[in-house]
Amino acid sequence: MTPDIWMILAFAGFLISGVPVAFSLALAGSVGIVAGLSPDMLATLGTNTYNSIAKYPLIAIPLFILTGLIFERSGVALRLVRFAQALIGPRHGGLALVAVLVCMIMGGMSGSGPADAAAVAMVMLPSMTKAGYPKPFSATLIAASASTAILIPPSVALILYSIVVPGVDLRALFAAGLFPGILAGLALLVPAMIVAKRFGWEGTPVAGAETLTVRATFRQALPALFAPVLILGGLRSGLFTPTEAAVVAVAYGTIVGLFLTKELSLRDLWELLGEAAIISGVVMLIIALAGIFAWAGTMLGTFRHLAEWIIGLTDNGVLLLVLVMLAVLVAGMLLDAISIYLIMMPVLIPVMQHFEWNPVWFGILLAMNIAIGQFTPPVAVNLMVTTEVAKIRLEETLGWALLFVVAMGCALALVAIFPSIALWLPSVLGYNI
């Protein structure tokens, strides 16, 4: 067997045996180096891991993670829920509509599906259960809606994609993700409303919201609603870069929590800094150790060989795009977004260039696929969070998960067939696409 096959088999073997993804990548890369290059080349491991994370745009990832944690602790989700509930009022499927809308708005602050799912589930699940919604349905709907955070800017996954794929403007990616993210949310809302009406699930006001008017709840929710405007407006105006936008978001969230909602204390802030550091450390460890795998794969020609094999499957670009999307969907059911980008993009970039797919549009399609994977068992990171809050088994949500997979799959198909859904906004804003 050739060294690159040894490396791929080693990676698969480590994963199957339960070795964490980050260490599987590093160990498989080391196997490739020893088998195909020279044991002496193991001396490059330190350089490769450092070079993988020594990139300025990566600073935005821990900062947006911290932003999501700050807004979650600041009581922002509850205020958004109260405003949405007062605006919509009690009706069939009213709380389902509230859950989807709040998840989408929260996604515009955190950029992280699991953080979005946790914040909304803590507020919405008790109210939805009291209103007659089954816990498996509620948990699945919130998990699926929270997956739109990977599309609606700012998105941690799109930040990483802009780093992995050279020449892609992150501002264009952020703009391109907005309408597909909204489309995905609407696609989830349609079956949720139909099911709620069929079973007669009646929306009831969230605790405390029944005594508040739309004007009062809007005033309370205004700081939260202004956060995405601040981030996207600053990017559009050129006032700050995407990385600087992350700093602004943290500062704004801190001000909101300490002085406006007053639900965040300095002690809480210190704890959140530590929590964000732990989460970011895991992310950065994956990126750093994946650098070993990427370097070995490049030196051995592994990625080039795989890309040539994929291109050789068919000359039909549409058929190949469908196959790629299915492969990413399966990967999304098993791996997190960061691992998927780091593992698959070195192979997919040559394929994308061969068929001349627009890299911004292709990045949004990948993100939508990965979003579906976030609430599709067996791994389903968002669903794990919401089922833990709901105190139910993951298996109980399988039927509802399949329903929402089909719904978001329809949204994905529309973006694939009509690329302008993603590309219109960045082109109007004058970004390089």
Side-chain angles (χ1 to χ4, degrees), residues 327-359:
V328 175
L329 177 60
V330 172
M333 297 178 186
L334 303 172
L335 301 171
D336 60 279
I338 293 170
S339 300
I340 292 171
Y341 280 130
L342 295 174
I343 294 169
M344 301 190 74
M345 284 316 299
V347 178
L348 294 179
I349 289 175
V351 178
M352 178 179 67
Q353 293 170 342
H354 176 81
F355 287 97
E356 298 181 348
W357 294 332
N358 184 286

PDB file of all heavy atoms in Angstrom, residues 327-359:
ATOM      1  N   ALA A 327     -22.040  13.434   0.824  1.00  0.00           N
ATOM      2  CA  ALA A 327     -20.874  13.049   1.623  1.00  0.00           C
ATOM      3  C   ALA A 327     -20.693  13.988   2.811  1.00  0.00           C
ATOM      4  O   ALA A 327     -20.410  13.550   3.937  1.00  0.00           O
ATOM      5  CB  ALA A 327     -19.614  13.049   0.749  1.00  0.00           C
ATOM      6  N   VAL A 328     -20.867  15.297   2.575  1.00  0.00           N
ATOM      7  CA  VAL A 328     -20.737  16.270   3.660  1.00  0.00           C
ATOM      8  C   VAL A 328     -21.851  16.088   4.678  1.00  0.00           C
ATOM      9  O   VAL A 328     -21.646  16.233   5.886  1.00  0.00           O
ATOM     10  CB  VAL A 328     -20.732  17.705   3.090  1.00  0.00           C
ATOM     11  CG1 VAL A 328     -20.725  18.729   4.221  1.00  0.00           C
ATOM     12  CG2 VAL A 328     -19.522  17.922   2.191  1.00  0.00           C
ATOM     13  N   LEU A 329     -23.063  15.756   4.211  1.00  0.00           N
ATOM     14  CA  LEU A 329     -24.180  15.524   5.117  1.00  0.00           C
ATOM     15  C   LEU A 329     -23.886  14.359   6.052  1.00  0.00           C
ATOM     16  O   LEU A 329     -24.123  14.448   7.264  1.00  0.00           O
ATOM     17  CB  LEU A 329     -25.458  15.252   4.315  1.00  0.00           C
ATOM     18  CG  LEU A 329     -26.714  14.929   5.122  1.00  0.00           C
ATOM     19  CD1 LEU A 329     -27.061  16.091   6.049  1.00  0.00           C
ATOM     20  CD2 LEU A 329     -27.883  14.612   4.206  1.00  0.00           C
ATOM     21  N   VAL A 330     -23.372  13.275   5.491  1.00  0.00           N
ATOM     22  CA  VAL A 330     -23.017  12.119   6.320  1.00  0.00           C
ATOM     23  C   VAL A 330     -21.926  12.493   7.315  1.00  0.00           C
ATOM     24  O   VAL A 330     -21.985  12.137   8.495  1.00  0.00           O
ATOM     25  CB  VAL A 330     -22.562  10.937   5.437  1.00  0.00           C
ATOM     26  CG1 VAL A 330     -22.015   9.806   6.298  1.00  0.00           C
ATOM     27  CG2 VAL A 330     -23.718  10.442   4.581  1.00  0.00           C
ATOM     28  N   ALA A 331     -20.924  13.255   6.836  1.00  0.00           N
ATOM     29  CA  ALA A 331     -19.849  13.693   7.725  1.00  0.00           C
ATOM     30  C   ALA A 331     -20.404  14.577   8.838  1.00  0.00           C
ATOM     31  O   ALA A 331     -19.960  14.492   9.993  1.00  0.00           O
ATOM     32  CB  ALA A 331     -18.787  14.444   6.926  1.00  0.00           C
ATOM     33  N   GLY A 332     -21.404  15.424   8.500  1.00  0.00           N
ATOM     34  CA  GLY A 332     -21.998  16.306   9.487  1.00  0.00           C
ATOM     35  C   GLY A 332     -22.738  15.561  10.583  1.00  0.00           C
ATOM     36  O   GLY A 332     -22.912  16.074  11.687  1.00  0.00           O
ATOM     37  N   MET A 333     -23.193  14.345  10.279  1.00  0.00           N
ATOM     38  CA  MET A 333     -23.868  13.534  11.291  1.00  0.00           C
ATOM     39  C   MET A 333     -22.880  12.944  12.290  1.00  0.00           C
ATOM     40  O   MET A 333     -23.282  12.494  13.363  1.00  0.00           O
ATOM     41  CB  MET A 333     -24.637  12.391  10.617  1.00  0.00           C
ATOM     42  CG  MET A 333     -25.752  12.842   9.705  1.00  0.00           C
ATOM     43  SD  MET A 333     -26.549  11.407   8.926  1.00  0.00           S
ATOM     44  CE  MET A 333     -27.675  12.220   7.788  1.00  0.00           C
ATOM     45  N   LEU A 334     -21.604  12.932  11.928  1.00  0.00           N
ATOM     46  CA  LEU A 334     -20.609  12.250  12.745  1.00  0.00           C
ATOM     47  C   LEU A 334     -19.563  13.182  13.341  1.00  0.00           C
ATOM     48  O   LEU A 334     -19.009  12.890  14.404  1.00  0.00           O
ATOM     49  CB  LEU A 334     -19.887  11.176  11.906  1.00  0.00           C
ATOM     50  CG  LEU A 334     -20.786  10.116  11.266  1.00  0.00           C
ATOM     51  CD1 LEU A 334     -19.972   9.251  10.312  1.00  0.00           C
ATOM     52  CD2 LEU A 334     -21.448   9.256  12.324  1.00  0.00           C
ATOM     53  N   LEU A 335     -19.272  14.301  12.647  1.00  0.00           N
ATOM     54  CA  LEU A 335     -18.187  15.177  13.060  1.00  0.00           C
ATOM     55  C   LEU A 335     -18.700  16.600  13.248  1.00  0.00           C
ATOM     56  O   LEU A 335     -19.762  16.963  12.749  1.00  0.00           O
ATOM     57  CB  LEU A 335     -17.060  15.169  12.020  1.00  0.00           C
ATOM     58  CG  LEU A 335     -16.403  13.820  11.709  1.00  0.00           C
ATOM     59  CD1 LEU A 335     -15.479  13.959  10.513  1.00  0.00           C
ATOM     60  CD2 LEU A 335     -15.628  13.321  12.925  1.00  0.00           C
ATOM     61  N   ASP A 336     -17.922  17.419  13.935  1.00  0.00           N
ATOM     62  CA  ASP A 336     -18.265  18.835  14.088  1.00  0.00           C
ATOM     63  C   ASP A 336     -17.814  19.614  12.858  1.00  0.00           C
ATOM     64  O   ASP A 336     -17.017  19.127  12.037  1.00  0.00           O
ATOM     65  CB  ASP A 336     -17.593  19.398  15.340  1.00  0.00           C
ATOM     66  CG  ASP A 336     -16.075  19.294  15.270  1.00  0.00           C
ATOM     67  OD1 ASP A 336     -15.541  18.192  15.563  1.00  0.00           O
ATOM     68  OD2 ASP A 336     -15.438  20.279  14.906  1.00  0.00           O
ATOM     69  N   ALA A 337     -18.312  20.838  12.731  1.00  0.00           N
ATOM     70  CA  ALA A 337     -18.055  21.644  11.542  1.00  0.00           C
ATOM     71  C   ALA A 337     -16.569  21.904  11.330  1.00  0.00           C
ATOM     72  O   ALA A 337     -16.063  21.848  10.193  1.00  0.00           O
ATOM     73  CB  ALA A 337     -18.810  22.972  11.657  1.00  0.00           C
ATOM     74  N   ILE A 338     -15.855  22.178  12.402  1.00  0.00           N
ATOM     75  CA  ILE A 338     -14.434  22.507  12.284  1.00  0.00           C
ATOM     76  C   ILE A 338     -13.656  21.327  11.715  1.00  0.00           C
ATOM     77  O   ILE A 338     -12.839  21.472  10.800  1.00  0.00           O
ATOM     78  CB  ILE A 338     -13.870  22.922  13.655  1.00  0.00           C
ATOM     79  CG1 ILE A 338     -14.521  24.245  14.088  1.00  0.00           C
ATOM     80  CG2 ILE A 338     -12.361  23.057  13.617  1.00  0.00           C
ATOM     81  CD1 ILE A 338     -14.239  24.633  15.512  1.00  0.00           C
ATOM     82  N   SER A 339     -13.927  20.138  12.231  1.00  0.00           N
ATOM     83  CA  SER A 339     -13.232  18.943  11.742  1.00  0.00           C
ATOM     84  C   SER A 339     -13.552  18.683  10.272  1.00  0.00           C
ATOM     85  O   SER A 339     -12.688  18.303   9.489  1.00  0.00           O
ATOM     86  CB  SER A 339     -13.621  17.728  12.586  1.00  0.00           C
ATOM     87  OG  SER A 339     -13.290  17.920  13.937  1.00  0.00           O
ATOM     88  N   ILE A 340     -14.819  18.891   9.888  1.00  0.00           N
ATOM     89  CA  ILE A 340     -15.221  18.647   8.492  1.00  0.00           C
ATOM     90  C   ILE A 340     -14.459  19.559   7.552  1.00  0.00           C
ATOM     91  O   ILE A 340     -13.931  19.126   6.521  1.00  0.00           O
ATOM     92  CB  ILE A 340     -16.739  18.842   8.340  1.00  0.00           C
ATOM     93  CG1 ILE A 340     -17.489  17.742   9.096  1.00  0.00           C
ATOM     94  CG2 ILE A 340     -17.146  18.816   6.860  1.00  0.00           C
ATOM     95  CD1 ILE A 340     -18.979  17.967   9.185  1.00  0.00           C
ATOM     96  N   TYR A 341     -14.402  20.852   7.893  1.00  0.00           N
ATOM     97  CA  TYR A 341     -13.677  21.792   7.040  1.00  0.00           C
ATOM     98  C   TYR A 341     -12.205  21.414   6.913  1.00  0.00           C
ATOM     99  O   TYR A 341     -11.631  21.427   5.823  1.00  0.00           O
ATOM    100  CB  TYR A 341     -13.793  23.211   7.604  1.00  0.00           C
ATOM    101  CG  TYR A 341     -15.091  23.901   7.267  1.00  0.00           C
ATOM    102  CD1 TYR A 341     -15.842  24.521   8.260  1.00  0.00           C
ATOM    103  CD2 TYR A 341     -15.567  23.948   5.963  1.00  0.00           C
ATOM    104  CE1 TYR A 341     -17.040  25.159   7.967  1.00  0.00           C
ATOM    105  CE2 TYR A 341     -16.762  24.580   5.660  1.00  0.00           C
ATOM    106  CZ  TYR A 341     -17.490  25.183   6.659  1.00  0.00           C
ATOM    107  OH  TYR A 341     -18.670  25.807   6.361  1.00  0.00           O
ATOM    108  N   LEU A 342     -11.585  21.072   8.038  1.00  0.00           N
ATOM    109  CA  LEU A 342     -10.155  20.785   8.023  1.00  0.00           C
ATOM    110  C   LEU A 342      -9.838  19.477   7.303  1.00  0.00           C
ATOM    111  O   LEU A 342      -8.783  19.351   6.675  1.00  0.00           O
ATOM    112  CB  LEU A 342      -9.622  20.729   9.464  1.00  0.00           C
ATOM    113  CG  LEU A 342      -9.690  22.053  10.233  1.00  0.00           C
ATOM    114  CD1 LEU A 342      -9.273  21.845  11.675  1.00  0.00           C
ATOM    115  CD2 LEU A 342      -8.815  23.108   9.581  1.00  0.00           C
ATOM    116  N   ILE A 343     -10.737  18.508   7.384  1.00  0.00           N
ATOM    117  CA  ILE A 343     -10.497  17.213   6.757  1.00  0.00           C
ATOM    118  C   ILE A 343     -10.850  17.231   5.278  1.00  0.00           C
ATOM    119  O   ILE A 343     -10.088  16.739   4.430  1.00  0.00           O
ATOM    120  CB  ILE A 343     -11.306  16.105   7.473  1.00  0.00           C
ATOM    121  CG1 ILE A 343     -10.797  15.918   8.904  1.00  0.00           C
ATOM    122  CG2 ILE A 343     -11.213  14.781   6.709  1.00  0.00           C
ATOM    123  CD1 ILE A 343     -11.711  15.052   9.757  1.00  0.00           C
ATOM    124  N   MET A 344     -11.999  17.823   4.928  1.00  0.00           N
ATOM    125  CA  MET A 344     -12.532  17.682   3.573  1.00  0.00           C
ATOM    126  C   MET A 344     -12.113  18.785   2.608  1.00  0.00           C
ATOM    127  O   MET A 344     -12.044  18.555   1.404  1.00  0.00           O
ATOM    128  CB  MET A 344     -14.064  17.605   3.624  1.00  0.00           C
ATOM    129  CG  MET A 344     -14.596  16.453   4.457  1.00  0.00           C
ATOM    130  SD  MET A 344     -16.382  16.200   4.294  1.00  0.00           S
ATOM    131  CE  MET A 344     -16.491  15.469   2.652  1.00  0.00           C
ATOM    132  N   MET A 345     -11.865  19.991   3.101  1.00  0.00           N
ATOM    133  CA  MET A 345     -11.595  21.098   2.180  1.00  0.00           C
ATOM    134  C   MET A 345     -10.327  20.926   1.348  1.00  0.00           C
ATOM    135  O   MET A 345     -10.311  21.313   0.172  1.00  0.00           O
ATOM    136  CB  MET A 345     -11.566  22.427   2.928  1.00  0.00           C
ATOM    137  CG  MET A 345     -12.949  22.951   3.311  1.00  0.00           C
ATOM    138  SD  MET A 345     -14.181  22.824   1.980  1.00  0.00           S
ATOM    139  CE  MET A 345     -13.453  23.847   0.718  1.00  0.00           C
ATOM    140  N   PRO A 346      -9.231  20.358   1.891  1.00  0.00           N
ATOM    141  CA  PRO A 346      -8.073  20.143   1.022  1.00  0.00           C
ATOM    142  C   PRO A 346      -8.390  19.262  -0.185  1.00  0.00           C
ATOM    143  O   PRO A 346      -7.749  19.390  -1.239  1.00  0.00           O
ATOM    144  CB  PRO A 346      -7.065  19.448   1.958  1.00  0.00           C
ATOM    145  CG  PRO A 346      -7.442  19.919   3.324  1.00  0.00           C
ATOM    146  CD  PRO A 346      -8.938  20.014   3.302  1.00  0.00           C
ATOM    147  N   VAL A 347      -9.388  18.373  -0.039  1.00  0.00           N
ATOM    148  CA  VAL A 347      -9.796  17.518  -1.158  1.00  0.00           C
ATOM    149  C   VAL A 347     -10.785  18.245  -2.060  1.00  0.00           C
ATOM    150  O   VAL A 347     -10.735  18.140  -3.284  1.00  0.00           O
ATOM    151  CB  VAL A 347     -10.431  16.210  -0.626  1.00  0.00           C
ATOM    152  CG1 VAL A 347     -10.913  15.339  -1.782  1.00  0.00           C
ATOM    153  CG2 VAL A 347      -9.447  15.452   0.239  1.00  0.00           C
ATOM    154  N   LEU A 348     -11.706  19.011  -1.450  1.00  0.00           N
ATOM    155  CA  LEU A 348     -12.789  19.628  -2.208  1.00  0.00           C
ATOM    156  C   LEU A 348     -12.362  20.885  -2.957  1.00  0.00           C
ATOM    157  O   LEU A 348     -12.993  21.259  -3.948  1.00  0.00           O
ATOM    158  CB  LEU A 348     -13.964  19.948  -1.280  1.00  0.00           C
ATOM    159  CG  LEU A 348     -14.676  18.746  -0.666  1.00  0.00           C
ATOM    160  CD1 LEU A 348     -15.806  19.205   0.250  1.00  0.00           C
ATOM    161  CD2 LEU A 348     -15.218  17.826  -1.760  1.00  0.00           C
ATOM    162  N   ILE A 349     -11.319  21.562  -2.492  1.00  0.00           N
ATOM    163  CA  ILE A 349     -10.886  22.792  -3.183  1.00  0.00           C
ATOM    164  C   ILE A 349     -10.511  22.522  -4.636  1.00  0.00           C
ATOM    165  O   ILE A 349     -10.966  23.238  -5.547  1.00  0.00           O
ATOM    166  CB  ILE A 349      -9.726  23.472  -2.416  1.00  0.00           C
ATOM    167  CG1 ILE A 349     -10.257  24.085  -1.114  1.00  0.00           C
ATOM    168  CG2 ILE A 349      -9.074  24.563  -3.269  1.00  0.00           C
ATOM    169  CD1 ILE A 349      -9.173  24.669  -0.226  1.00  0.00           C
ATOM    170  N   PRO A 350      -9.688  21.497  -4.949  1.00  0.00           N
ATOM    171  CA  PRO A 350      -9.406  21.219  -6.373  1.00  0.00           C
ATOM    172  C   PRO A 350     -10.650  20.847  -7.169  1.00  0.00           C
ATOM    173  O   PRO A 350     -10.764  21.203  -8.352  1.00  0.00           O
ATOM    174  CB  PRO A 350      -8.420  20.038  -6.311  1.00  0.00           C
ATOM    175  CG  PRO A 350      -7.815  20.111  -4.954  1.00  0.00           C
ATOM    176  CD  PRO A 350      -8.906  20.615  -4.068  1.00  0.00           C
ATOM    177  N   VAL A 351     -11.583  20.134  -6.540  1.00  0.00           N
ATOM    178  CA  VAL A 351     -12.831  19.775  -7.217  1.00  0.00           C
ATOM    179  C   VAL A 351     -13.641  21.037  -7.523  1.00  0.00           C
ATOM    180  O   VAL A 351     -14.165  21.204  -8.632  1.00  0.00           O
ATOM    181  CB  VAL A 351     -13.662  18.811  -6.344  1.00  0.00           C
ATOM    182  CG1 VAL A 351     -14.984  18.476  -7.027  1.00  0.00           C
ATOM    183  CG2 VAL A 351     -12.874  17.528  -6.051  1.00  0.00           C
ATOM    184  N   MET A 352     -13.725  21.919  -6.550  1.00  0.00           N
ATOM    185  CA  MET A 352     -14.441  23.186  -6.722  1.00  0.00           C
ATOM    186  C   MET A 352     -13.827  24.010  -7.844  1.00  0.00           C
ATOM    187  O   MET A 352     -14.541  24.588  -8.683  1.00  0.00           O
ATOM    188  CB  MET A 352     -14.406  23.966  -5.406  1.00  0.00           C
ATOM    189  CG  MET A 352     -15.067  25.335  -5.449  1.00  0.00           C
ATOM    190  SD  MET A 352     -14.977  26.151  -3.826  1.00  0.00           S
ATOM    191  CE  MET A 352     -13.197  26.437  -3.693  1.00  0.00           C
ATOM    192  N   GLN A 353     -12.512  24.054  -7.897  1.00  0.00           N
ATOM    193  CA  GLN A 353     -11.827  24.824  -8.946  1.00  0.00           C
ATOM    194  C   GLN A 353     -11.993  24.179 -10.316  1.00  0.00           C
ATOM    195  O   GLN A 353     -12.134  24.883 -11.324  1.00  0.00           O
ATOM    196  CB  GLN A 353     -10.342  24.961  -8.585  1.00  0.00           C
ATOM    197  CG  GLN A 353     -10.106  25.816  -7.348  1.00  0.00           C
ATOM    198  CD  GLN A 353      -8.673  25.760  -6.862  1.00  0.00           C
ATOM    199  OE1 GLN A 353      -7.910  24.845  -7.215  1.00  0.00           O
ATOM    200  NE2 GLN A 353      -8.285  26.723  -6.033  1.00  0.00           N
ATOM    201  N   HIS A 354     -11.998  22.850 -10.365  1.00  0.00           N
ATOM    202  CA  HIS A 354     -12.142  22.151 -11.646  1.00  0.00           C
ATOM    203  C   HIS A 354     -13.494  22.441 -12.282  1.00  0.00           C
ATOM    204  O   HIS A 354     -13.584  22.673 -13.498  1.00  0.00           O
ATOM    205  CB  HIS A 354     -11.972  20.644 -11.430  1.00  0.00           C
ATOM    206  CG  HIS A 354     -12.190  19.834 -12.676  1.00  0.00           C
ATOM    207  ND1 HIS A 354     -11.210  19.680 -13.640  1.00  0.00           N
ATOM    208  CD2 HIS A 354     -13.273  19.139 -13.125  1.00  0.00           C
ATOM    209  CE1 HIS A 354     -11.684  18.927 -14.623  1.00  0.00           C
ATOM    210  NE2 HIS A 354     -12.938  18.591 -14.333  1.00  0.00           N
ATOM    211  N   PHE A 355     -14.554  22.419 -11.494  1.00  0.00           N
ATOM    212  CA  PHE A 355     -15.898  22.661 -12.026  1.00  0.00           C
ATOM    213  C   PHE A 355     -16.300  24.138 -11.962  1.00  0.00           C
ATOM    214  O   PHE A 355     -17.428  24.484 -12.296  1.00  0.00           O
ATOM    215  CB  PHE A 355     -16.921  21.805 -11.264  1.00  0.00           C
ATOM    216  CG  PHE A 355     -16.855  20.343 -11.600  1.00  0.00           C
ATOM    217  CD1 PHE A 355     -16.154  19.464 -10.788  1.00  0.00           C
ATOM    218  CD2 PHE A 355     -17.466  19.842 -12.735  1.00  0.00           C
ATOM    219  CE1 PHE A 355     -16.088  18.105 -11.091  1.00  0.00           C
ATOM    220  CE2 PHE A 355     -17.403  18.498 -13.052  1.00  0.00           C
ATOM    221  CZ  PHE A 355     -16.706  17.623 -12.235  1.00  0.00           C
ATOM    222  N   GLU A 356     -15.364  24.981 -11.496  1.00  0.00           N
ATOM    223  CA  GLU A 356     -15.574  26.425 -11.454  1.00  0.00           C
ATOM    224  C   GLU A 356     -16.803  26.814 -10.634  1.00  0.00           C
ATOM    225  O   GLU A 356     -17.573  27.699 -11.009  1.00  0.00           O
ATOM    226  CB  GLU A 356     -15.666  27.008 -12.876  1.00  0.00           C
ATOM    227  CG  GLU A 356     -14.397  26.800 -13.679  1.00  0.00           C
ATOM    228  CD  GLU A 356     -14.477  27.405 -15.080  1.00  0.00           C
ATOM    229  OE1 GLU A 356     -15.589  27.774 -15.506  1.00  0.00           O
ATOM    230  OE2 GLU A 356     -13.431  27.524 -15.726  1.00  0.00           O
ATOM    231  N   TRP A 357     -16.980  26.128  -9.518  1.00  0.00           N
ATOM    232  CA  TRP A 357     -18.050  26.503  -8.600  1.00  0.00           C
ATOM    233  C   TRP A 357     -17.633  27.766  -7.863  1.00  0.00           C
ATOM    234  O   TRP A 357     -16.472  27.917  -7.461  1.00  0.00           O
ATOM    235  CB  TRP A 357     -18.319  25.391  -7.587  1.00  0.00           C
ATOM    236  CG  TRP A 357     -18.865  24.142  -8.213  1.00  0.00           C
ATOM    237  CD1 TRP A 357     -19.611  24.037  -9.351  1.00  0.00           C
ATOM    238  CD2 TRP A 357     -18.698  22.793  -7.727  1.00  0.00           C
ATOM    239  NE1 TRP A 357     -19.937  22.730  -9.602  1.00  0.00           N
ATOM    240  CE2 TRP A 357     -19.392  21.932  -8.629  1.00  0.00           C
ATOM    241  CE3 TRP A 357     -18.052  22.223  -6.641  1.00  0.00           C
ATOM    242  CZ2 TRP A 357     -19.442  20.554  -8.466  1.00  0.00           C
ATOM    243  CZ3 TRP A 357     -18.097  20.850  -6.459  1.00  0.00           C
ATOM    244  CH2 TRP A 357     -18.790  20.033  -7.364  1.00  0.00           C
ATOM    245  N   ASN A 358     -18.561  28.686  -7.669  1.00  0.00           N
ATOM    246  CA  ASN A 358     -18.263  29.903  -6.923  1.00  0.00           C
ATOM    247  C   ASN A 358     -17.901  29.544  -5.483  1.00  0.00           C
ATOM    248  O   ASN A 358     -18.695  28.885  -4.800  1.00  0.00           O
ATOM    249  CB  ASN A 358     -19.477  30.838  -6.949  1.00  0.00           C
ATOM    250  CG  ASN A 358     -19.193  32.160  -6.279  1.00  0.00           C
ATOM    251  OD1 ASN A 358     -19.109  32.244  -5.057  1.00  0.00           O
ATOM    252  ND2 ASN A 358     -19.055  33.206  -7.071  1.00  0.00           N
ATOM    253  N   PRO A 359     -16.731  29.945  -4.983  1.00  0.00           N
ATOM    254  CA  PRO A 359     -16.314  29.515  -3.640  1.00  0.00           C
ATOM    255  C   PRO A 359     -17.206  30.044  -2.523  1.00  0.00           C
ATOM    256  O   PRO A 359     -17.370  29.369  -1.497  1.00  0.00           O
ATOM    257  CB  PRO A 359     -14.886  30.060  -3.519  1.00  0.00           C
ATOM    258  CG  PRO A 359     -14.789  31.136  -4.556  1.00  0.00           C
ATOM    259  CD  PRO A 359     -15.696  30.737  -5.656  1.00  0.00           C
TER     260      PRO A 359
END
